[in-house]
Amino acid sequence: MTVASSLITRSRVWSISGGIHPAEHKQESNTAPIEAIPLPSTLWLPLNMHIGAPATPVVSVGQMVRKGQIIAQSGGGISASVHAPTSGRITAIEDHAYAHESGLKQPAIAIEADGLDDWRKQTPWEDWASKTHEELLQRIHDGGITGLGGAGFPTDIKYRNRHAPIDTLLINAAECEPYITADDRLMRERAEDILRGAQICLHLLGARRILIGIEDNKPEAATALEQAAETLQQRIELAVVPTKYPSGGEKQLIQLVTGKEVPKGGLPSDLGIVCQNVGTLYQIYRTVVHDEPLISRITTVTGAAVSNPGNYEVLIGTSMETVLNHAGAHLKKADRVIMGGPMMGFAVPDIAAPIMKSTNCLLAPTKKELPPAIEDSPCIRCGLCEQACPVDLLPQQMHWASKHRELESAELHSLEDCIECGACAYVCPSRIPLVQYFRYAKGELKQERQQHEESERARIRFENRQARLEREKQEKEARRKARAEAAAKAQAEKKAREGAPSSGSNDDDPVKAALARAAAKKQARAESAAAVEQSPAELKEALDKAKAKFDKASTRLQEAEANGDAMVAALKKAADKLEEKYLSAEKAYQAATQSQETDPS
Amino acid sequence: MMTLSSPHTTGSNTVSRLMLTLCAALIPGLLALIVFFSWGYLINAILATVTALAVEALILKIRKRPVLFFLKDGSALVTALLLACALPPLAPWWLIVLGTTLAILFGKHLFGGLGQNPFNPAMVAYALLLVSLPLLMTTRWAAVDQSADFGQTVTIIFQGGQTVLDGLTGATPLDDYKQSISRLTAEDVLVNPIYQTIGAVGWTPVNLAFLLGGLVLLGLRIITWHIPVSLLGSLALLSILIGSDADAFVPLSLHLLSGSTMLAAFFIATDPVSAATSNRGKLIYGAGIGALIYIIRTWGNYPDATAFAVLLMNFAAPLIDHYTRPRVYGHKAAVKGYKNEQD
């Protein structure tokens, strides 16, 4: 950090809450230059090496491909393409070991290298500034570039979805995880290319400034960036932040270098900031200017079980085992292999899994180096976790809520704002695996929310259906009415039409009139007969039955009234009804016997 | 290959290291008590330690918990030493044994053991003893100007030793001042040789020793400043605002530098299990204890009010926690209360 010129300004640094100082272990891997790993014989390229929709294969088994050729096209929306890292033959498109904690296999494309490393036709753009934004973004998208810092978010999306005008391109050069030095080495060796990539991004964003956030444990890298800025005559602002984990988290770095917080549920672009990792910027440069898609990356291979720890330039798709062997890892001595750093990385279940776009580190520690967890004690609420939390949560309370699955309480304690950095678990004297508890509770919360949404959808669907049925019924009714009216009208019209010419004759016809009268009489008699259809004997039986029922009901009613039973009201009602029935039955019977007597038929 | 969740590395801190450091930080205060007052404190410390470990082991066994695992955490030792520092040094041996048993049994394991107790175990025991055996708890304090040698102390503690006892015990300065000031002026009260220019003879160095231990804990970041500062602050503030008249009230120097004030501020109120959690919550919690100490000392019947003040604020801790959550990164305001009103 010797260069001082008008091009380089030192930017003010704010602070973040909490944070921890774990042993850095950077020395092991940051002294040797980046070394390329020889071309492996077979490469496995997973279709989902990024956040978003998996890519779709556009090659078939047996097909020959050239280096840099697209072998799987990005799916719609948020996605990234996959390219052949070398020339060769497609030998399989099937599920293959994949670096994920679950150990589940994932679809991947296998390429058998032909050893020629034969590039597809490349069209370098030395004059990228003359291209349109859309052309540049398309090139970045077609290059399959994803964030190389670890999350693997497709890069072009950052430049497409912008809500606020961008003021600052923030270069994340903090690399705060212990052990990892991939960015450190890249900056030392290829600082100019990183800044060239940054220039492209600055152009795309229309941003005012390049701000670099770097931890103070990487003075060589900072110097390299300053020298590169001099060479390129590029104005930069350098914010050297104190070494503290997790200052390299995007939200934390933004707070450190601007003093602002990304609002809950918002994006850095809400603050006029786009944050980009140095590795990603380097790749943007390679892709835009040299037409090299993302087919290789720098991966730190380190840990006490590795005899040649350092940084390796690895083709995406190379198996982890190959890389570890090349670095001289004693896999028997290694307690486990971690992808990423010791704070946020995960133990890889199968090292046949290929290096992915997001594999920034392979850590093979011995048991002594990173001892397995000891048995946890109960939480004594000492509050060390709270003092270490970079986002001001209360991990001890969240732990209580998560452990007892009190999801509402967990939510009240803003569980979902947890960035899972692991600082709380690191300082916990009870050695409680806090992050695991929080992941569990987050999963439960998510599931509960999904279930809630589903039931909400079901409810809306049901209500809509009810409304539709009701509407259909009404419409049907309306149609029926309309039809009936139309028919009546038609009838009336018909009648009017028919009646008009023969109106006189109708009234005059005595035969017709007589017939009508007879019909009416007959109908009336039939109606009265219907009432007395039952024989008197049957009616008598019904009458007896009704009487018996009524008597029984009244005795029960009396009993109930005497006992002060609660059923009195109901019984009374029933008795009244039975009495009515009984009386009507009696009437019917009397009418029947009378009519029998009077009616001779 | 092992599958483990992150983080894969932890600091070297453990519960037992935390507890043992706490015990070590208590030693200056305990030594001062022994030097300035009585061998009784040492005997009490030994009795309490043995009792605490024995009772803890027994209950763990009954509860079918790993005995050694929990004995090692040192939490029983902390409770024992706190009681040894807090109980009268010349009380009969069974008082401390009973007290320690009550602390471990009723203060801790009845609620589920380490980390589950809503109240400070040592203070639960202290309060129970004070209410049940008020005479022993208020008259067996060692007088500062008279001291028994080790043999005499053993006799007093284990055999009653009533003949030796007379003249060796006296009221604590807080008690004496409060009783005397109703009859006398401050000047006349302070004639009593138990007082000195600042605070009381013996008690001032003892409190300074506890303060020293407390500062060590602060330096090692085992406790944060919030509770001690707010506790001492509110106690001092009330004493200045209300009790500045030395002819009517116990003066500030006695409040801060006699009795169990410093022990309470740095070792008892800071017990994390039963205290409020967030930094803001701790400030309220500590201030509450300080205020209650002043209120009980001034208008209550108990000359030293630590136990009741701490227990009362233990009750309030969960409520305080609900209303003092810190504002989380990116949030506009802190989430307060029992319902999520943000959505």
PDB file of all heavy atoms in Angstrom, chain B residues 110-134:
ATOM      1  N   LEU B 110     -35.135 -28.221  40.573  1.00  0.00           N
ATOM      2  CA  LEU B 110     -36.591 -28.285  40.504  1.00  0.00           C
ATOM      3  C   LEU B 110     -37.104 -27.678  39.202  1.00  0.00           C
ATOM      4  O   LEU B 110     -38.156 -28.034  38.700  1.00  0.00           O
ATOM      5  CB  LEU B 110     -37.171 -27.535  41.704  1.00  0.00           C
ATOM      6  CG  LEU B 110     -38.361 -28.192  42.370  1.00  0.00           C
ATOM      7  CD1 LEU B 110     -38.017 -29.601  42.808  1.00  0.00           C
ATOM      8  CD2 LEU B 110     -38.811 -27.381  43.568  1.00  0.00           C
ATOM      9  N   PHE B 111     -36.318 -26.773  38.645  1.00  0.00           N
ATOM     10  CA  PHE B 111     -36.743 -26.128  37.398  1.00  0.00           C
ATOM     11  C   PHE B 111     -36.171 -26.818  36.169  1.00  0.00           C
ATOM     12  O   PHE B 111     -36.469 -26.425  35.049  1.00  0.00           O
ATOM     13  CB  PHE B 111     -36.301 -24.659  37.400  1.00  0.00           C
ATOM     14  CG  PHE B 111     -37.000 -23.829  38.426  1.00  0.00           C
ATOM     15  CD1 PHE B 111     -36.372 -23.454  39.592  1.00  0.00           C
ATOM     16  CD2 PHE B 111     -38.318 -23.432  38.222  1.00  0.00           C
ATOM     17  CE1 PHE B 111     -37.019 -22.691  40.533  1.00  0.00           C
ATOM     18  CE2 PHE B 111     -38.973 -22.673  39.169  1.00  0.00           C
ATOM     19  CZ  PHE B 111     -38.330 -22.306  40.334  1.00  0.00           C
ATOM     20  N   GLY B 112     -35.327 -27.825  36.373  1.00  0.00           N
ATOM     21  CA  GLY B 112     -34.779 -28.535  35.217  1.00  0.00           C
ATOM     22  C   GLY B 112     -33.270 -28.468  35.108  1.00  0.00           C
ATOM     23  O   GLY B 112     -32.707 -28.881  34.115  1.00  0.00           O
ATOM     24  N   GLY B 113     -32.615 -27.948  36.126  1.00  0.00           N
ATOM     25  CA  GLY B 113     -31.156 -27.977  36.124  1.00  0.00           C
ATOM     26  C   GLY B 113     -30.530 -26.792  35.424  1.00  0.00           C
ATOM     27  O   GLY B 113     -31.185 -25.763  35.204  1.00  0.00           O
ATOM     28  N   LEU B 114     -29.285 -26.964  35.046  1.00  0.00           N
ATOM     29  CA  LEU B 114     -28.486 -25.873  34.470  1.00  0.00           C
ATOM     30  C   LEU B 114     -29.215 -25.183  33.319  1.00  0.00           C
ATOM     31  O   LEU B 114     -29.692 -25.817  32.399  1.00  0.00           O
ATOM     32  CB  LEU B 114     -27.152 -26.436  33.973  1.00  0.00           C
ATOM     33  CG  LEU B 114     -26.187 -25.423  33.356  1.00  0.00           C
ATOM     34  CD1 LEU B 114     -25.727 -24.432  34.386  1.00  0.00           C
ATOM     35  CD2 LEU B 114     -25.012 -26.130  32.721  1.00  0.00           C
ATOM     36  N   GLY B 115     -29.271 -23.877  33.413  1.00  0.00           N
ATOM     37  CA  GLY B 115     -29.826 -23.095  32.314  1.00  0.00           C
ATOM     38  C   GLY B 115     -31.331 -22.946  32.332  1.00  0.00           C
ATOM     39  O   GLY B 115     -31.887 -22.184  31.555  1.00  0.00           O
ATOM     40  N   GLN B 116     -32.009 -23.673  33.212  1.00  0.00           N
ATOM     41  CA  GLN B 116     -33.470 -23.652  33.193  1.00  0.00           C
ATOM     42  C   GLN B 116     -34.074 -22.818  34.325  1.00  0.00           C
ATOM     43  O   GLN B 116     -35.270 -22.553  34.326  1.00  0.00           O
ATOM     44  CB  GLN B 116     -34.024 -25.079  33.315  1.00  0.00           C
ATOM     45  CG  GLN B 116     -33.349 -26.099  32.427  1.00  0.00           C
ATOM     46  CD  GLN B 116     -33.668 -25.887  30.977  1.00  0.00           C
ATOM     47  OE1 GLN B 116     -34.809 -25.657  30.607  1.00  0.00           O
ATOM     48  NE2 GLN B 116     -32.654 -25.921  30.142  1.00  0.00           N
ATOM     49  N   ASN B 117     -33.245 -22.453  35.302  1.00  0.00           N
ATOM     50  CA  ASN B 117     -33.794 -21.810  36.490  1.00  0.00           C
ATOM     51  C   ASN B 117     -34.161 -20.349  36.237  1.00  0.00           C
ATOM     52  O   ASN B 117     -33.332 -19.573  35.787  1.00  0.00           O
ATOM     53  CB  ASN B 117     -32.793 -21.887  37.648  1.00  0.00           C
ATOM     54  CG  ASN B 117     -31.403 -21.498  37.206  1.00  0.00           C
ATOM     55  OD1 ASN B 117     -30.837 -22.171  36.356  1.00  0.00           O
ATOM     56  ND2 ASN B 117     -30.880 -20.418  37.737  1.00  0.00           N
ATOM     57  N   PRO B 118     -35.417 -19.978  36.523  1.00  0.00           N
ATOM     58  CA  PRO B 118     -35.801 -18.586  36.315  1.00  0.00           C
ATOM     59  C   PRO B 118     -35.245 -17.658  37.394  1.00  0.00           C
ATOM     60  O   PRO B 118     -35.205 -16.446  37.222  1.00  0.00           O
ATOM     61  CB  PRO B 118     -37.315 -18.613  36.352  1.00  0.00           C
ATOM     62  CG  PRO B 118     -37.678 -19.851  37.069  1.00  0.00           C
ATOM     63  CD  PRO B 118     -36.551 -20.817  36.914  1.00  0.00           C
ATOM     64  N   PHE B 119     -34.840 -18.234  38.536  1.00  0.00           N
ATOM     65  CA  PHE B 119     -34.323 -17.396  39.625  1.00  0.00           C
ATOM     66  C   PHE B 119     -32.878 -17.770  39.920  1.00  0.00           C
ATOM     67  O   PHE B 119     -32.464 -18.900  39.714  1.00  0.00           O
ATOM     68  CB  PHE B 119     -35.159 -17.581  40.887  1.00  0.00           C
ATOM     69  CG  PHE B 119     -36.616 -17.378  40.639  1.00  0.00           C
ATOM     70  CD1 PHE B 119     -37.486 -18.451  40.615  1.00  0.00           C
ATOM     71  CD2 PHE B 119     -37.112 -16.109  40.387  1.00  0.00           C
ATOM     72  CE1 PHE B 119     -38.826 -18.262  40.361  1.00  0.00           C
ATOM     73  CE2 PHE B 119     -38.456 -15.921  40.130  1.00  0.00           C
ATOM     74  CZ  PHE B 119     -39.308 -16.996  40.115  1.00  0.00           C
ATOM     75  N   ASN B 120     -32.166 -16.817  40.458  1.00  0.00           N
ATOM     76  CA  ASN B 120     -30.791 -17.078  40.863  1.00  0.00           C
ATOM     77  C   ASN B 120     -30.798 -18.061  42.041  1.00  0.00           C
ATOM     78  O   ASN B 120     -31.351 -17.757  43.098  1.00  0.00           O
ATOM     79  CB  ASN B 120     -30.154 -15.751  41.279  1.00  0.00           C
ATOM     80  CG  ASN B 120     -28.685 -15.902  41.579  1.00  0.00           C
ATOM     81  OD1 ASN B 120     -28.286 -16.839  42.271  1.00  0.00           O
ATOM     82  ND2 ASN B 120     -27.888 -15.000  41.064  1.00  0.00           N
ATOM     83  N   PRO B 121     -30.215 -19.246  41.876  1.00  0.00           N
ATOM     84  CA  PRO B 121     -30.316 -20.287  42.923  1.00  0.00           C
ATOM     85  C   PRO B 121     -29.802 -19.811  44.278  1.00  0.00           C
ATOM     86  O   PRO B 121     -30.452 -20.050  45.309  1.00  0.00           O
ATOM     87  CB  PRO B 121     -29.450 -21.419  42.391  1.00  0.00           C
ATOM     88  CG  PRO B 121     -29.350 -21.191  40.935  1.00  0.00           C
ATOM     89  CD  PRO B 121     -29.451 -19.719  40.713  1.00  0.00           C
ATOM     90  N   ALA B 122     -28.668 -19.128  44.299  1.00  0.00           N
ATOM     91  CA  ALA B 122     -28.100 -18.690  45.570  1.00  0.00           C
ATOM     92  C   ALA B 122     -29.057 -17.717  46.271  1.00  0.00           C
ATOM     93  O   ALA B 122     -29.231 -17.761  47.491  1.00  0.00           O
ATOM     94  CB  ALA B 122     -26.746 -18.030  45.332  1.00  0.00           C
ATOM     95  N   MET B 123     -29.700 -16.875  45.485  1.00  0.00           N
ATOM     96  CA  MET B 123     -30.601 -15.897  46.089  1.00  0.00           C
ATOM     97  C   MET B 123     -31.904 -16.531  46.565  1.00  0.00           C
ATOM     98  O   MET B 123     -32.516 -16.092  47.536  1.00  0.00           O
ATOM     99  CB  MET B 123     -30.889 -14.761  45.094  1.00  0.00           C
ATOM    100  CG  MET B 123     -29.689 -13.879  44.823  1.00  0.00           C
ATOM    101  SD  MET B 123     -28.987 -13.132  46.325  1.00  0.00           S
ATOM    102  CE  MET B 123     -27.530 -14.147  46.584  1.00  0.00           C
ATOM    103  N   VAL B 124     -32.343 -17.573  45.863  1.00  0.00           N
ATOM    104  CA  VAL B 124     -33.521 -18.316  46.319  1.00  0.00           C
ATOM    105  C   VAL B 124     -33.245 -18.858  47.722  1.00  0.00           C
ATOM    106  O   VAL B 124     -34.040 -18.690  48.651  1.00  0.00           O
ATOM    107  CB  VAL B 124     -33.860 -19.474  45.352  1.00  0.00           C
ATOM    108  CG1 VAL B 124     -34.885 -20.416  45.964  1.00  0.00           C
ATOM    109  CG2 VAL B 124     -34.373 -18.926  44.030  1.00  0.00           C
ATOM    110  N   ALA B 125     -32.061 -19.479  47.879  1.00  0.00           N
ATOM    111  CA  ALA B 125     -31.705 -20.058  49.174  1.00  0.00           C
ATOM    112  C   ALA B 125     -31.574 -18.973  50.229  1.00  0.00           C
ATOM    113  O   ALA B 125     -32.078 -19.104  51.352  1.00  0.00           O
ATOM    114  CB  ALA B 125     -30.399 -20.830  49.042  1.00  0.00           C
ATOM    115  N   TYR B 126     -30.935 -17.874  49.856  1.00  0.00           N
ATOM    116  CA  TYR B 126     -30.720 -16.788  50.807  1.00  0.00           C
ATOM    117  C   TYR B 126     -32.058 -16.253  51.311  1.00  0.00           C
ATOM    118  O   TYR B 126     -32.267 -16.066  52.517  1.00  0.00           O
ATOM    119  CB  TYR B 126     -29.908 -15.671  50.143  1.00  0.00           C
ATOM    120  CG  TYR B 126     -29.421 -14.616  51.103  1.00  0.00           C
ATOM    121  CD1 TYR B 126     -28.144 -14.681  51.643  1.00  0.00           C
ATOM    122  CD2 TYR B 126     -30.240 -13.554  51.481  1.00  0.00           C
ATOM    123  CE1 TYR B 126     -27.693 -13.727  52.526  1.00  0.00           C
ATOM    124  CE2 TYR B 126     -29.805 -12.594  52.376  1.00  0.00           C
ATOM    125  CZ  TYR B 126     -28.527 -12.675  52.891  1.00  0.00           C
ATOM    126  OH  TYR B 126     -28.085 -11.724  53.765  1.00  0.00           O
ATOM    127  N   ALA B 127     -32.985 -16.039  50.372  1.00  0.00           N
ATOM    128  CA  ALA B 127     -34.286 -15.497  50.745  1.00  0.00           C
ATOM    129  C   ALA B 127     -35.045 -16.480  51.637  1.00  0.00           C
ATOM    130  O   ALA B 127     -35.658 -16.088  52.638  1.00  0.00           O
ATOM    131  CB  ALA B 127     -35.086 -15.173  49.498  1.00  0.00           C
ATOM    132  N   LEU B 128     -34.981 -17.766  51.271  1.00  0.00           N
ATOM    133  CA  LEU B 128     -35.669 -18.779  52.088  1.00  0.00           C
ATOM    134  C   LEU B 128     -35.127 -18.779  53.512  1.00  0.00           C
ATOM    135  O   LEU B 128     -35.884 -18.812  54.490  1.00  0.00           O
ATOM    136  CB  LEU B 128     -35.508 -20.167  51.472  1.00  0.00           C
ATOM    137  CG  LEU B 128     -36.398 -20.476  50.266  1.00  0.00           C
ATOM    138  CD1 LEU B 128     -36.006 -21.809  49.649  1.00  0.00           C
ATOM    139  CD2 LEU B 128     -37.869 -20.501  50.679  1.00  0.00           C
ATOM    140  N   LEU B 129     -33.787 -18.711  53.650  1.00  0.00           N
ATOM    141  CA  LEU B 129     -33.170 -18.716  54.977  1.00  0.00           C
ATOM    142  C   LEU B 129     -33.528 -17.451  55.752  1.00  0.00           C
ATOM    143  O   LEU B 129     -33.846 -17.494  56.944  1.00  0.00           O
ATOM    144  CB  LEU B 129     -31.645 -18.829  54.853  1.00  0.00           C
ATOM    145  CG  LEU B 129     -31.109 -20.168  54.363  1.00  0.00           C
ATOM    146  CD1 LEU B 129     -29.592 -20.109  54.234  1.00  0.00           C
ATOM    147  CD2 LEU B 129     -31.506 -21.293  55.312  1.00  0.00           C
ATOM    148  N   LEU B 130     -33.518 -16.334  55.050  1.00  0.00           N
ATOM    149  CA  LEU B 130     -33.775 -15.057  55.717  1.00  0.00           C
ATOM    150  C   LEU B 130     -35.202 -15.015  56.262  1.00  0.00           C
ATOM    151  O   LEU B 130     -35.449 -14.507  57.366  1.00  0.00           O
ATOM    152  CB  LEU B 130     -33.554 -13.906  54.730  1.00  0.00           C
ATOM    153  CG  LEU B 130     -33.555 -12.496  55.304  1.00  0.00           C
ATOM    154  CD1 LEU B 130     -32.521 -12.362  56.405  1.00  0.00           C
ATOM    155  CD2 LEU B 130     -33.284 -11.469  54.213  1.00  0.00           C
ATOM    156  N   VAL B 131     -36.123 -15.571  55.510  1.00  0.00           N
ATOM    157  CA  VAL B 131     -37.515 -15.569  55.944  1.00  0.00           C
ATOM    158  C   VAL B 131     -37.731 -16.601  57.046  1.00  0.00           C
ATOM    159  O   VAL B 131     -38.460 -16.360  58.006  1.00  0.00           O
ATOM    160  CB  VAL B 131     -38.442 -15.839  54.736  1.00  0.00           C
ATOM    161  CG1 VAL B 131     -39.877 -16.010  55.181  1.00  0.00           C
ATOM    162  CG2 VAL B 131     -38.329 -14.707  53.736  1.00  0.00           C
ATOM    163  N   SER B 132     -37.066 -17.751  56.924  1.00  0.00           N
ATOM    164  CA  SER B 132     -37.313 -18.833  57.898  1.00  0.00           C
ATOM    165  C   SER B 132     -36.497 -18.669  59.179  1.00  0.00           C
ATOM    166  O   SER B 132     -36.968 -19.022  60.254  1.00  0.00           O
ATOM    167  CB  SER B 132     -36.964 -20.185  57.283  1.00  0.00           C
ATOM    168  OG  SER B 132     -37.319 -20.229  55.940  1.00  0.00           O
ATOM    169  N   LEU B 133     -35.274 -18.185  59.067  1.00  0.00           N
ATOM    170  CA  LEU B 133     -34.397 -18.115  60.247  1.00  0.00           C
ATOM    171  C   LEU B 133     -33.850 -16.699  60.408  1.00  0.00           C
ATOM    172  O   LEU B 133     -32.635 -16.471  60.315  1.00  0.00           O
ATOM    173  CB  LEU B 133     -33.235 -19.108  60.083  1.00  0.00           C
ATOM    174  CG  LEU B 133     -33.638 -20.557  59.818  1.00  0.00           C
ATOM    175  CD1 LEU B 133     -32.500 -21.329  59.176  1.00  0.00           C
ATOM    176  CD2 LEU B 133     -34.067 -21.228  61.109  1.00  0.00           C
ATOM    177  N   PRO B 134     -34.736 -15.728  60.607  1.00  0.00           N
ATOM    178  CA  PRO B 134     -34.285 -14.330  60.593  1.00  0.00           C
ATOM    179  C   PRO B 134     -33.245 -14.028  61.663  1.00  0.00           C
ATOM    180  O   PRO B 134     -32.326 -13.251  61.431  1.00  0.00           O
ATOM    181  CB  PRO B 134     -35.569 -13.537  60.826  1.00  0.00           C
ATOM    182  CG  PRO B 134     -36.556 -14.505  61.360  1.00  0.00           C
ATOM    183  CD  PRO B 134     -36.170 -15.853  60.866  1.00  0.00           C
TER     184      PRO B 134
END
